[in-house]
Amino acid sequence: MSTPVNPFADMMAKMQEQMQDMSKGMPGLDAFSPAAFEAMMGTMPKEMMEAMFGNKLDEGALDARTKLLLTLAGLTMQGAQNEVAVRQTVRHAQAAGATEQHITETIGMMAMFAGLPAVTRATELAKQALTDKKTSDNKDDET
């Protein structure tokens, strides 16, 4: 008697094979580095964030800092799975006026809802972004 095949597992295996075949035909894909791509992305100036995400066009709306802290809370609730998004959101929140205290409290508040593993991961990623920011600020001061 043969072992029954899980149709979902079979479908996923076939899709993975197809993706591998497709990626072989794309030159340079093997050299792609998410870390290098993240390093290329800059941080928007505070004024631009306020214009795009803040309350400049809609008086009485949330400011960019608050919206970015809410985004950080949402990313934490999702388990901080998207590392690049967490680090970018921390950088942008800081550029919009959020302090390290604001960022830490925002992540910490999610412990009751997202659980400690998610909060721990988000905290690690936030520390990376904050450390990167301090390092780049120190380099700017030296020049």
Side-chain angles (χ1 to χ4, degrees):
M1 185 169 188
S2 66
T3 306
V5 176
N6 179 333
F8 181 74
D10 188 45
M11 177 185 74
M12 293 302 289
K14 287 178 183 173
M15 286 175 54
Q16 189 173 16
E17 286 175 25
Q18 289 175 346
M19 292 300 289
Q20 287 173 345
D21 290 343
M22 282 178 20
S23 67
K24 288 176 186 172
M26 296 180 187
L29 190 61
D30 56 340
F32 175 75
S33 166
F37 184 73
E38 181 182 357
M40 287 184 348
M41 293 188 281
T43 303
M44 278 189 269
K46 182 178 181 176
E47 296 77 19
M48 186 176 190
M49 280 189 280
E50 280 300 333
M52 294 177 69
F53 305 121
N55 55 12
K56 293 289 186 205
L57 300 177
D58 186 13
E59 196 172 319
L62 297 173
D63 63 335
R65 180 188 77 177
T66 303
K67 288 179 181 178
L68 287 161
L69 291 173
L70 288 169
T71 301
L72 181 59
L75 290 166
T76 302
M77 287 294 296
Q78 293 176 337
Q81 296 175 25
N82 188 339
E83 296 178 8
V84 174
V86 172
R87 285 190 295 262
Q88 281 295 101
T89 302
V90 168
R91 288 185 197 107
H92 281 101
Q94 211 174 20
T99 64
E100 287 187 37
Q101 178 76 22
H102 293 141
I103 291 164
T104 303
E105 281 188 41
T106 298
I107 294 170
M109 287 294 299
M110 298 302 104
M112 293 288 292
F113 309 103
L116 289 177
V119 169
T120 301
R121 185 68 187 133
T123 302
E124 290 168 355
L125 295 169
K127 281 182 183 178
Q128 288 173 8
L130 294 169
T131 302
D132 291 347
K133 173 95 168 86
K134 287 179 186 175
T135 303
S136 69
D137 286 348
N138 289 341
K139 286 181 184 176
D140 291 342
D141 292 342
E142 292 172 4
T143 56

